[in-house]
Amino acid sequence: MISWHNGTVLSHQEEKDSTEEYRRSECVLGYIPVVYYSTLLCVGVPVNILTLVALSRLAARTQKALYVYLLALTGSDILSQLFIIFVGFLLETAVFHRDVPVVLLRSVSALEFAANHASIWATVPLTIDRYVALCHPLLHLQISYPARARRIIIVVLTLALASGVPFFWWSDMWRVSRPPNTLDSVLIWAHVTIIYFLPCSIFLVLNSLIVLRLRRRRLQQRCQEEGRQQRAAAGRLGKTTAMLLAITSVFAVLWAPRTAVVLYHLYVSSVHRDWRVHLAYDLANMLAMLNTAVNFFLYCFVSKSFRGAVKDVLLLRGASLHTPRSYHHRHASANTSNSSLSSSTKRSHRDATPLSALSTDIIT
């Protein structure tokens, strides 16, 4: 970032004793990060708020757990933009020049990591839900509904908040000149594992299974030469899966440079002393924060229903007055009103339904 003195990290005695040791690398980007983060904040927050409103309407209209997970992801992105970009990068560095109490800095740092973890891990239950919907459609009908999705999201956000507490002791890579100690090594490895290695491993495994399942299904459809209507349904299924693959792939690409630079700082050369590592760290952070503002454009590119919801919000059109009831509400009503004979008939009819058509209806 910008080369301003940090009066809260180093004492005057330490500066006197080791002047050469505390000579830090200069930031060659100058004011570019401030302009970049200001632009990203001015664009990203309104876009995410628009996404939040549009997804809320779709969630109320369709009663699908998918939109609950997307709502949590968007809300976490907004928190990341506020804590990391606005408070961390702009206020502390550009406005206050970081001349603020150490306790406040460390508290904000813990909140930044918590928001960051929530933004990333909100995608994990979404990926699991899509995998179950495609590969185990009957199980998905039983376990996937908005109330359960909300409980899962509450657990994820609680764990994300708790995971941010140890990073109260995170060392500022830009300004701490000493070599990383044992605590720094533990926190750095915990950080890169939580925000990159572990979620990317989950995404890689589940997305690979999803892609393999789609390929097998398409081969079966070609062999059986099914009708035009079912091929169109498979196309819609591909679009929904493409949205998930795009979200996880963009995350993996944008966060990879920061993960590499952090590990390079730990084992090779310090951000504080080497201007090239300093530059790489600044650019890597800029790329990583871009991930908080791109999902809106991915949704618009893939989903026609999302584009329609955004159009309704921008044109100030009201939401639909007739909201369908959730699947479990309808299922419970049907069970209480029908006789055992009719229930058996419905079960046999459901068992005769092809799994490919059923999973297509679930995911689309």
Side-chain angles (χ1 to χ4, degrees):
M1 291 291 288
I2 300 174
S3 179
W4 280 314
H5 168 68
N6 180 8
T8 62
V9 174
L10 305 177
S11 66
H12 295 290
Q13 183 65 32
E14 289 172 333
E15 291 178 353
K16 183 183 297 184
D17 294 340
S18 53
T19 304
E20 185 66 24
E21 180 184 0
Y22 284 90
R23 183 175 299 170
R24 55 173 299 185
S25 61
E26 297 294 330
C27 177
V28 299
L29 293 179
Y31 285 88
I32 292 178
V34 176
V35 176
Y36 172 82
Y37 288 122
S38 299
T39 304
L40 186 62
L41 194 68
C42 293
V43 174
V45 172
V47 161
N48 279 331
I49 292 176
L50 177 60
T51 304
L52 207 63
V53 177
L55 290 175
S56 299
R57 292 193 174 191
L58 290 174
R61 185 188 310 164
T62 63
Q63 293 296 308
K64 287 184 177 181
L66 167 67
Y67 295 111
V68 177
Y69 295 123
L70 293 178
L71 280 170
L73 175 60
T74 306
S76 301
D77 286 340
I78 293 176
L79 292 178
S80 297
Q81 290 172 337
L82 294 179
F83 282 114
I84 300 177
I85 299 177
F86 180 67
V87 178
F89 287 120
L90 297 180
L91 285 185
E92 291 182 3
T93 302
V95 178
F96 298 133
H97 299 187
R98 289 192 51 101
D99 191 12
V100 292
V102 177
V103 175
L104 179 59
L105 290 178
R106 293 185 179 277
S107 300
V108 171
S109 177
L111 291 175
E112 290 174 358
F113 280 98
N116 189 12
H117 297 168
S119 176
I120 293 170
W121 278 89
T123 314
V124 173
L126 169 64
T127 307
I128 296 174
D129 180 81
R130 294 299 87 199
Y131 164 75
V132 175
L134 179 62
C135 299
H136 307 281
L138 294 180
L139 177 63
H140 185 267
L141 284 175
Q142 300 174 5
I143 66 173
S144 181
Y145 50 91
R148 181 188 290 268
R150 284 189 287 269
R151 291 196 295 268
I152 293 174
I153 290 301
I154 290 174
V155 172
V156 171
L157 296 182
T158 302
L159 293 176
L161 180 62
S163 68
V165 174
F167 295 93
F168 179 87
W169 293 274
W170 177 266
S171 296
D172 192 334
M173 294 184 184
W174 281 303
R175 295 170 177 84
V176 175
S177 63
R178 59 169 174 77
N181 55 27
T182 302
L183 178 60
D184 294 331
S185 300
V186 171
L187 289 178
I188 287 175
W189 271 108
H191 174 59
V192 297
T193 301
I194 292 174
I195 62 101
Y196 195 77
F197 290 129
L198 187 55
C200 280
S201 299
I202 297 174
F203 298 152
L204 178 63
V205 172
L206 294 183
N207 288 340
S208 299
L209 293 175
I210 289 174
V211 171
L212 291 176
R213 183 61 180 265
L214 284 175
R215 287 181 178 178
R216 286 199 299 266
R217 179 172 298 170
R218 288 171 182 172
L219 289 176
Q220 292 175 358
Q221 289 175 351
R222 289 176 183 176
C223 294
Q224 296 174 359
E225 296 181 357
E226 294 178 349
R228 184 180 305 174
Q229 182 178 359
Q230 195 163 0
R231 288 197 298 270
R236 293 195 299 271
L237 176 61
K239 286 187 176 182
T240 305
T241 307
M243 181 174 68
L244 171 64
L245 296 177
I247 293 173
T248 54
S249 300
V250 168
F251 159 74
V253 170
L254 293 180
W255 275 89
R258 187 182 189 278
T259 304
V261 173
V262 168
L263 293 177
Y264 190 88
H265 162 84
L266 178 61
Y267 291 107
V268 182
S269 181
S270 171
V271 172
H272 181 91
R273 298 185 180 184
D274 192 338
W275 69 268
R276 292 165 295 186
V277 184
H278 194 149
L279 174 62
Y281 191 55
D282 285 341
L283 294 176
N285 282 326
M286 293 165 69
L287 280 177
M289 289 299 100
L290 183 62
N291 186 62
T292 63
V294 299
N295 287 340
F296 169 82
F297 304 100
L298 295 178
Y299 301 159
C300 288
F301 180 75
V302 173
S303 175
K304 182 178 180 181
S305 59
F306 180 78
R307 291 195 298 268
V310 170
K311 183 178 180 181
D312 291 341
V313 173
L314 293 177
L315 296 179
L316 301 180
R317 295 175 182 172
S320 177
L321 296 178
H322 301 285
T323 303
R325 294 177 295 175
S326 65
Y327 165 78
H328 281 266
H329 192 182
R330 296 194 306 267
H331 186 65
S333 300
N335 284 344
T336 56
S337 61
N338 293 329
S339 63
S340 59
L341 179 60
S342 61
S343 298
S344 300
T345 304
K346 289 183 178 180
R347 283 197 301 270
S348 62
H349 176 71
R350 182 190 63 188
D351 295 337
T353 304
L355 289 181
S356 59
L358 181 59
S359 60
T360 299
D361 178 70
I362 293 171
I363 300 180
T364 57

